[in-house]
Amino acid sequence: MSDAIELPALSDEQRRAVMHDAGPLIVLAGPGTGKTRVITARIARLIDGGVAPSEILSLTFTNKAAGELRERLSVLIGPSRAELVRAGTFHWWSLDLLRRFADRAGLAGSPRLADSAEVRRVMREAVRASELLGRIRAGGVDAACERVARTLAALKHRAIEPGEAAGRVRTLAPEPGWSAGELELLAAACEAGAMHERLMGERGLLALDDLIARASRLLAGDALVREIVRSDAQHVLVDEFQDVDAAQIALLRRVRPPEQSPCDICVVGDDDQSIYGFRGADDRAFARFIEVWGDAQTVQLTQNRRSASAIVRAASAVIAGANARFAPGKALERAPDRPAPAGASVEAVRIAKVPQGGPVIASMVKAIQDRGEDLSRVAVIGRTWAEIERVRGALELAGVPIEVPERRLPSDDQGVQDVLAWATLACDPLATWAAVRVLTRPPLSVPPLRALEWEQLYRVERSREGGAEDDAPGDESGGAPAAFLAWCAPRLPESDAHASRARRALELSERFAQLATSVRADEAIERIVRESGAAHADLLSGRDRAARVRAIVAMIRFVRARVGRLEHAPVDQTFLIKL
């Protein structure tokens, strides 16, 4: 090529992974062995050899990791070529595929991601139209929806279609642990799940958890789409492969099937990290890869460039004790061409009882202090906050200055939780827990026992009418089911000292519901903060009030930073979960 790419310096094992050009490849990359360098160098080598950047698909698990990959590619191959490489998450690529071929995927209009409230509304509709509700009537629609959601999640991780699963279940005979009734319940949940997917597709709605399954189904059933996608993605790389599940492996198989020649698919990961079971990940992912791509070759990256030799040896010894490993002979070693950190060592201290850990650590840190060493280079890491508190007390008694990072997240703040409750009501007025919270918190401050009495009366009337939380008692005109606040407001007598507060809560929740459909999510959250009084309703000290304001500001910034990424950005609990 006229514009040749200079590959970065590579070790022998890294170079083998980068230059491999003979079919499927597994790269087992231990910690600190340069897996990202291998991925970027492999992409650069392909492009330098004449492959169009747009024919390379690089998949990972987080947007952050995909962004970092693109940044490193920009440095290595130039921004213009890096921009053409299709790098992103499994969900990003699946969504792009479904939008591109929406008509062939059976999706109406211009498909978009649904927010959680929309998914729940469609789920309720599917449950009501299925046999499932009648089978678990005692739990109501919410219990049925939860059952369907759990069933769908399990099926999706295993690459099983709900309709297909229902048919299989109905052919099974009862056995110990699975009665005929339980099998019928499972089959009904699968059928309700299939109906939910159909209703979502008819409305052009996509749930995040549906993306991979729908994309895989499209590729399996449409030869034309399959041919186009395989032509587009001729070279596939997957990072953090230990975190994939069966559904993602099935998707990869449909993009780069083993019978296709050439079959350039390279998966990179650490088999010793598969114990985490992240989001349904298959702890035998690499073994599954071999089952599909039987002629795959394996390259092990074992030279750690990050840690001292003593730490590498200790880590290897612990890992070697695992009961089952994909590559049991793999062992990390310190890269010989890297300077070793000075003074690094590993010391194990056995204690008789857990509480003794605090004084032991304190005495070790005190010895470091007495030698005049810089304590800012000392870190204490514990498995739980309880352990950290024990160490903290011991260090304080020893007169050792300490700095403990703020353990509370913004989402732990009561004011943030109040805003979250109001936002939940804006999306789902049937969320009784949220209604009870806003009633009992300032500024409404209904006594908790009184609010619980109202809720009990509400549930009694609801049960008499044979409903569940969202099958709530009808309003006085016999119309649509009433949510808790809408039920309370007209029924509480004027003599009830707190009735006006219930009516105020209903007024605010209805106002916030209108905001949720008319303004951006960040604007709606700001209005909820102002109008609900969440920031200043509690009687707090100056220090605690400042912490409350910081937490709420962090929440608003979180929403504002993400709302622009979505085509449809309603107020949604999912905006606040990652706080």
Side-chain angles (χ1 to χ4, degrees):
M1 296 177 60
S2 58
D3 189 9
I5 298 172
E6 182 178 352
L7 295 181
L10 300 168
S11 67
D12 290 343
E13 57 187 19
Q14 289 174 335
R15 184 168 294 279
R16 285 198 299 274
V18 168
M19 303 306 294
H20 175 84
D21 202 19
L25 175 67
I26 294 174
V27 179
L28 297 180
T33 57
K35 68 180 180 67
T36 306
R37 173 179 289 248
V38 165
I39 292 172
T40 54
R42 184 172 174 84
I43 292 173
R45 193 266 299 172
L46 289 170
I47 295 173
D48 195 48
V51 172
S54 59
E55 294 177 352
I56 300 172
L57 175 63
S58 181
L59 298 174
T60 187
F61 278 83
T62 66
N63 290 319
K64 179 180 179 182
E68 291 173 351
L69 176 65
R70 281 191 291 268
E71 288 177 4
R72 294 179 69 164
L73 278 175
S74 294
V75 174
L76 189 57
I77 64 177
S80 60
R81 285 187 288 199
E83 188 68 25
L84 295 175
V85 175
R86 298 182 61 74
T89 66
F90 276 91
H91 290 89
W92 160 82
W93 186 77
S94 298
L95 177 60
D96 183 71
L97 178 68
L98 292 169
R99 284 174 169 166
R100 183 181 176 189
F101 299 104
D103 56 335
R104 303 186 75 91
L107 298 170
S110 300
R112 63 174 176 83
L113 279 178
D115 63 80
S116 62
E118 289 174 306
V119 173
R120 289 175 62 188
R121 280 196 293 271
V122 178
M123 181 71 78
R124 288 191 178 101
E125 186 177 338
V127 164
R128 289 193 180 99
S130 72
E131 299 177 6
L132 184 62
L133 184 58
R135 295 185 179 279
I136 53 174
R137 187 72 179 181
V141 175
D142 277 348
C145 288
E146 179 62 26
R147 178 62 182 261
V148 175
R150 289 198 308 269
T151 301
L152 281 178
L155 292 175
K156 287 166 187 171
H157 286 311
R158 291 163 177 79
I160 302 173
E161 295 301 322
E164 175 192 353
R168 288 190 201 176
V169 171
R170 293 201 183 279
T171 65
L172 298 177
E175 58 182 52
W178 282 99
S179 67
E182 288 169 328
L183 289 173
E184 282 295 323
L185 189 62
L186 177 58
C190 292
E191 289 168 349
M195 185 178 298
H196 174 258
E197 289 193 352
R198 178 176 59 78
L199 293 174
M200 291 281 286
E202 290 174 353
R203 296 165 195 186
L205 298 176
L206 293 166
L208 182 66
D209 288 343
D210 289 341
L211 296 177
I212 292 172
R214 282 187 178 273
S216 188
R217 185 161 64 240
L218 172 62
L219 290 172
D222 194 313
L224 176 61
V225 173
R226 197 163 55 241
E227 182 180 348
I228 293 172
V229 168
R230 290 176 181 175
S231 176
D232 288 347
Q234 297 191 31
H235 306 271
V236 177
L237 298 94
V238 183
D239 192 11
E240 304 293 359
F241 188 74
Q242 75 278 351
D243 289 335
V244 304
D245 59 22
Q248 289 156 337
I249 292 175
L251 180 65
L252 292 171
R253 181 173 189 167
R254 283 160 184 156
V255 177
R256 302 310 306 169
E259 61 273 13
Q260 188 174 40
S261 181
C263 180
D264 185 8
I265 179 169
C266 172
V267 298
V268 183
D270 185 357
D271 57 313
D272 292 321
Q273 290 184 32
S274 61
I275 58 172
Y276 299 125
F278 177 71
R279 283 185 64 87
D282 187 340
D283 61 357
R284 298 187 64 246
F286 289 99
R288 307 286 187 212
F289 188 86
I290 291 294
E291 290 173 4
V292 177
W293 292 273
D295 60 341
Q297 296 187 32
T298 300
V299 173
Q300 296 184 10
L301 305 185
T302 59
Q303 293 186 351
N304 180 285
R305 288 167 160 71
R306 183 186 303 154
S307 307
S309 297
I311 294 172
V312 172
R313 288 195 300 270
S316 295
V318 172
I319 293 170
N323 292 330
R325 301 173 68 196
F326 174 71
K330 186 184 69 174
L332 290 176
E333 60 181 8
R334 174 71 191 175
D337 60 335
R338 305 283 288 189
S345 64
V346 177
E347 181 179 357
V349 179
R350 185 188 296 273
I351 57 176
K353 297 180 180 179
V354 171
Q356 295 176 349
V360 169
I361 293 173
S363 65
M364 297 172 73
V365 176
K366 179 65 174 173
I368 294 173
Q369 182 187 36
D370 292 344
R371 293 197 297 268
E373 297 184 29
D374 183 5
L375 288 184
S376 67
R377 296 173 59 84
V378 177
V380 177
I381 302 173
R383 186 171 57 86
T384 67
W385 277 109
E387 292 175 354
I388 293 297
E389 287 301 324
R390 282 195 291 268
V391 176
R392 177 180 186 165
L395 288 169
E396 288 175 342
L397 286 174
V400 176
I402 59 175
E403 179 180 339
V404 179
E406 179 63 50
R407 61 180 291 185
R408 292 183 64 226
L409 297 171
S411 57
D412 294 328
D413 182 85
Q414 292 295 315
V416 170
Q417 293 181 23
D418 292 342
V419 176
L420 173 59
W422 282 116
T424 300
L425 281 174
C427 294
D428 182 12
L430 299 168
T432 304
W433 70 266
V436 171
R437 178 179 179 87
V438 300
L439 281 170
T440 55
R441 288 279 301 152
L444 298 175
S445 300
V446 173
L449 289 178
R450 192 74 184 98
L452 290 175
E453 288 175 8
W454 295 347
E455 183 186 7
Q456 195 170 32
L457 290 172
Y458 167 76
R459 292 185 182 279
V460 167
E461 184 169 335
R462 180 195 63 191
S463 64
R464 286 173 181 166
E465 297 182 9
E469 184 152 318
D470 60 328
D471 260 347
D475 62 22
E476 292 181 347
S477 64
F484 176 53
L485 290 177
W487 177 89
C488 283
R491 285 170 173 78
L492 298 178
E494 291 295 335
S495 58
D496 190 322
H498 306 296
S500 62
R501 301 180 189 182
R503 286 189 279 274
R504 174 61 175 164
L506 176 61
E507 176 188 338
L508 285 174
S509 68
E510 290 176 342
R511 185 184 307 169
F512 297 155
Q514 291 176 346
L515 286 174
T517 59
S518 59
V519 301
R520 283 164 46 110
D522 54 337
E523 297 173 14
I525 291 293
E526 287 190 58
R527 291 276 295 276
I528 289 174
V529 170
R530 288 199 303 268
E531 297 185 29
S532 69
H536 305 291
D538 282 307
L539 295 176
L540 302 173
S541 66
R543 180 177 179 179
D544 289 341
R545 187 175 301 283
R548 165 72 48 82
V549 171
R550 285 196 299 272
I552 290 177
V553 169
M555 172 186 61
I556 293 172
R557 286 176 175 169
F558 176 87
V559 177
R560 186 171 295 148
R562 287 156 178 79
V563 70
R565 303 178 188 176
L566 305 178
E567 294 179 0
H568 178 68
V571 179
D572 190 340
Q573 185 176 350
T574 56
F575 276 116
L576 308 179
I577 287 174
K578 292 185 180 179
L579 278 167

